[in-house]
């Protein structure tokens, strides 16, 4: 079914559709990896207890906790990638809705060329040329909207993508460094037959390492180079106009320094359950295509609009 849906995509959106589907598989792989690492952490703890070696048991149990936290970062990363993937879908939907406008213009031009070859004196040529002028005007609007939305959403999507990548990497580094400290608490001095290792006295140190790992995660703050945006003045109809103002107008929120916080950037939000459709991709924009099968049709925006936006567009005479 997924292959059939891919074949049904307009030519303009096929490549991005394929990319989005590939990302879907990759996200599933990260989720699976997180679950597998979590199971391995549990197995490590159980094995350590079965060794009947107090030191191994204590260290393996604490390492299991740290490894489980490392596994949790995979799930958070997958959530960030799902958000980035959702932004890419907005570009794909826009591409899908612009395709009819291109096809309509190409069809009219083809009909004119055929008539000029077969019936050069046909009066229908003038009518078709007028229709082509209208189609080209509609196409200009559609192509401008496509360019504006593509560039804006491309920057927004990969801002989310790489911010999530940095967050996962930095948090896993924090945990991995503390895990190495934990391993260092184990005394591996060789013994001779009949001797025994001294009783393990690193329990307090092991708990301290866990506390420091927890404090490190809690104190973590995003510190990334901001992705600047000039799309703050993108108004109704994806055209230049009155748009966002204030701090959010110039960047997507991944600001460096104290102003950046986990609440400001989409990739740093609290982990939430991902909503993923088992039925695959759905073209939610199919009812908002530009152009029509005939000439002189109303130009529609290449993305869903609220009723308020529609009234504003009609009042402004944009379309």
């Amino acid at each position: 079914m997924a292959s059939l849906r891919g074949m049904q995509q307009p030519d303009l959106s096929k490549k991005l559709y394929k990319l989005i589907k590939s990302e879907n598989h990759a996200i599933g792989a990260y989720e699976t990896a997180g679950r597998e690492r979590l199971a391995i952490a549990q197995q490590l703890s159980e094995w350590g207890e079965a060794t009947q070696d107090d030191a191994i048991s204590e260290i393996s149990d604490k390492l299991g906790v740290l490894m489980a936290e490392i596994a949790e970062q995979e799930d958070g990363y997958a959530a960030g990638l799902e958000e980035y993937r959702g932004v890419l879908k907005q570009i794909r939907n826009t591409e899908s809705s612009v395709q009819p406008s291109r096809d309509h213009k190409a069809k009219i031009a083809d009909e004119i060329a055929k008539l000029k070859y077969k019936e050069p004196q046909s009066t229908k040529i003038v009518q078709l040329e007028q229709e082509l002028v209208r189609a080209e005007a509609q196409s200009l609007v559609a192509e401008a909207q496509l360019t504006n939305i593509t560039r804006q959403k491309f920057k927004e999507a990969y801002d989310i993508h790489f911010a999530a990548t940095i967050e996962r990497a930095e948090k896993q580094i924090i945990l991995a460094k503390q895990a190495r400290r934990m391993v260092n608490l184990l005394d591996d001095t060789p013994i001779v037959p009949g001797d025994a290792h001294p009783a393990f006295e690193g329990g307090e140190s092991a708990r301290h390492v866990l506390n420091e790992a927890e404090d490190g995660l809690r104190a973590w703050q995003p510190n990334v180079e901001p992705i600047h945006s000039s799309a703050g003045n993108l108004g109704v109809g994806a055209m230049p106009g009155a748009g966002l103002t204030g701090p959010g107008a110039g960047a997507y929120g991944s600001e460096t320094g104290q102003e950046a916080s986990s609440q400001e950037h989409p990739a740093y939000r609290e982990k939430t359950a991902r909503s993923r459709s088992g039925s695959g991709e759905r073209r939610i924009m199919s009812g908002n295509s530009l152009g029509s099968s005939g000439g002189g049709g109303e130009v529609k925006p290449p993305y869903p609009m609220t009723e308020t936006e529609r009234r504003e567009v009609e009042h402004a005479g944009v379309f």
Side-chain angles (χ1 to χ4, degrees):
M1 292 299 292
S3 298
L4 180 60
R5 284 192 293 270
M7 292 174 60
Q8 293 174 341
Q9 289 289 313
D11 290 341
L12 187 58
S13 62
K14 278 184 177 180
K15 291 185 181 298
L16 189 54
Y17 175 88
K18 184 177 180 181
L19 186 155
I20 290 170
K21 290 300 293 182
S22 296
E23 283 287 10
N24 192 42
H25 297 313
I27 290 169
Y30 282 114
E31 291 177 323
T32 300
R35 290 192 296 269
E36 293 291 342
R37 299 305 304 175
L38 195 61
I40 290 170
Q42 178 65 30
Q43 290 165 7
L44 173 63
S45 178
E46 292 173 354
W47 167 80
E49 185 177 3
T51 63
Q52 298 183 348
D53 183 325
D54 290 343
I56 291 288
S57 179
E58 184 74 14
I59 296 298
S60 64
D61 184 63
K62 298 296 190 295
L63 275 182
V65 173
L66 291 172
M67 289 173 64
E69 281 296 326
I70 291 175
E72 282 292 318
Q73 302 312 312
E74 298 294 349
D75 191 57
Y77 182 50
L81 289 183
E82 183 65 26
E83 186 173 358
Y84 133 82
R85 183 171 167 267
V87 177
L88 288 184
K89 287 181 181 179
Q90 297 179 49
I91 303 176
R92 181 205 63 193
N93 293 339
T94 305
E95 289 179 337
S96 298
S97 64
V98 168
Q99 186 72 61
S101 176
R102 289 189 179 184
D103 293 343
H104 180 51
K105 185 178 69 171
K107 180 180 178 182
I108 297 172
D110 188 52
E111 289 179 2
I112 292 174
K114 288 179 180 178
L115 274 178
K116 285 184 176 180
Y117 178 74
K118 293 181 178 179
E119 303 177 46
Q121 305 302 321
S122 174
T123 57
K124 191 177 180 181
I125 293 177
V126 176
Q127 177 185 348
L128 286 173
E129 286 177 339
Q130 292 174 348
E131 187 175 341
L132 180 61
V133 170
R134 291 193 294 269
E136 287 176 340
Q138 293 177 356
S139 182
L140 282 175
V141 175
E143 297 295 341
Q145 291 172 329
L146 175 59
T147 297
N148 291 342
I149 290 174
T150 298
R151 293 192 173 212
Q152 179 192 24
K153 297 303 178 181
F154 180 88
K155 294 185 77 172
E156 181 181 344
Y158 283 97
D159 182 25
I160 295 170
H161 182 297
F162 294 116
T165 302
I166 290 171
E167 177 180 3
R168 166 178 172 258
E170 291 183 348
K171 287 184 175 180
Q172 288 189 337
I173 287 172
I174 291 171
L175 292 164
K177 285 183 175 180
Q178 297 299 339
R180 288 178 63 86
R181 288 181 60 197
M182 187 75 71
V183 173
N184 244 351
L185 297 177
L186 182 65
D187 178 13
D188 62 348
T189 304
I191 62 173
V192 297
D195 285 352
H197 281 290
F200 181 66
E201 297 179 354
E204 186 63 30
S205 297
R207 284 191 293 273
H208 182 68
V209 170
L210 281 185
N211 290 337
E212 287 199 1
E214 183 179 358
D215 292 342
L217 290 181
R218 188 181 297 113
W220 180 87
Q221 290 289 332
N223 184 20
V224 296
E225 182 177 348
I227 302 295
H228 297 287
S229 172
S230 300
N233 64 344
L234 199 61
V236 175
M239 292 298 179
L244 297 175
T245 58
Y252 290 112
S254 55
E255 295 291 339
T256 305
Q258 294 181 350
E259 293 182 0
S261 70
S262 59
Q263 286 75 30
E264 291 176 345
H265 196 286
Y268 305 132
R269 293 172 185 163
E270 291 295 328
K271 296 174 184 176
T272 55
R274 292 174 52 224
S275 174
R276 304 180 60 192
S277 171
S279 59
E281 300 300 310
R282 291 179 295 173
R283 289 177 53 199
I284 61 173
M285 293 299 304
S286 59
N288 292 298
S289 298
L290 289 178
S292 60
S293 58
E298 178 188 6
V299 181
K300 299 179 182 178
Y303 53 87
M305 295 182 66
T306 64
E307 187 60 33
T308 301
E309 285 181 319
R310 293 185 186 280
R311 287 198 296 269
E312 290 177 357
V313 168
E314 292 173 359
H315 179 72
V318 176
F319 303 113

